[in-house]
Amino acid sequence: MQHRRGHAQYGSRQPLFGNAAAPSDQLQISIEAGQYDLDSEIDQLRSSVGRLKQVSEAISEENRLTARVMDGLEVAMDQARASLRKTMKRLNRAYADSKSNHMLYLVLFALALFFAVYFWNKVHRLLKWIF
């Protein structure tokens, strides 16, 4: 082994944990055959994936329904906004008209007409009684 600038070559690393005296470049795994049933594990994974697929489809459908409801609410809000705008214009016009005394003139005319008819009726009865 040749050292370069005081460092060892890549093959002679020291382990981070454990015993530094027994370096090993190979990993050994021992699985006992009777301990795991891979077919049942695969079946469980398939059923879990199936359930996840059903949940994701249900979420997708709920998302579509919510989007439809939101679109309907948006249309209703636009209609309500337009109606409110129209009503506010009418109220502003009525307020402006009330400042111009049109309603006062209308009420005074109605009262004058009522008294004119009332007095004409009284005068007519008086003239009938006299003549």
Side-chain angles (χ1 to χ4, degrees):
M1 269 189 213
Q2 184 181 15
H3 293 281
R4 187 185 243 189
R5 294 187 202 170
H7 296 289
Q9 278 188 339
Y10 294 111
S12 61
R13 290 191 220 151
Q14 295 292 327
L16 293 175
F17 303 103
N19 189 3
S24 175
D25 291 327
Q26 295 181 358
L27 178 65
Q28 293 181 353
I29 299 176
S30 66
I31 300 176
E32 295 178 20
Q35 201 172 16
Y36 297 103
D37 187 14
L38 295 179
D39 289 337
S40 68
E41 294 291 326
I42 290 172
D43 290 339
Q44 287 177 354
L45 281 174
R46 281 186 182 152
S47 66
S48 296
V49 168
R51 284 191 305 257
L52 285 174
K53 182 179 178 184
Q54 290 173 349
V55 168
S56 69
E57 287 172 353
I59 290 172
S60 176
E61 181 63 27
E62 184 69 26
N63 191 16
R64 278 193 291 269
L65 291 174
T66 303
R68 286 182 193 156
V69 168
M70 290 299 291
D71 289 342
L73 285 175
E74 212 173 301
V75 169
M77 286 298 293
D78 288 341
Q79 290 173 348
R81 232 181 253 121
S83 177
L84 184 61
R85 220 177 278 130
K86 186 177 178 181
T87 303
M88 286 301 295
K89 284 181 183 178
R90 285 181 182 171
L91 284 174
N92 287 336
R93 194 175 328 132
Y95 179 71
D97 288 347
S98 70
K99 283 186 172 181
S100 66
N101 296 328
H102 289 305
M103 292 300 289
L104 179 64
Y105 295 145
L106 181 64
V107 169
L108 289 176
F109 175 74
L111 283 173
L113 188 63
F114 174 74
F115 282 119
V117 169
Y118 177 75
F119 286 123
W120 181 72
N121 191 13
K122 288 289 185 183
V123 169
H124 186 325
R125 284 186 183 186
L126 181 65
L127 288 177
K128 267 185 157 182
W129 185 69
I130 294 177
F131 296 113

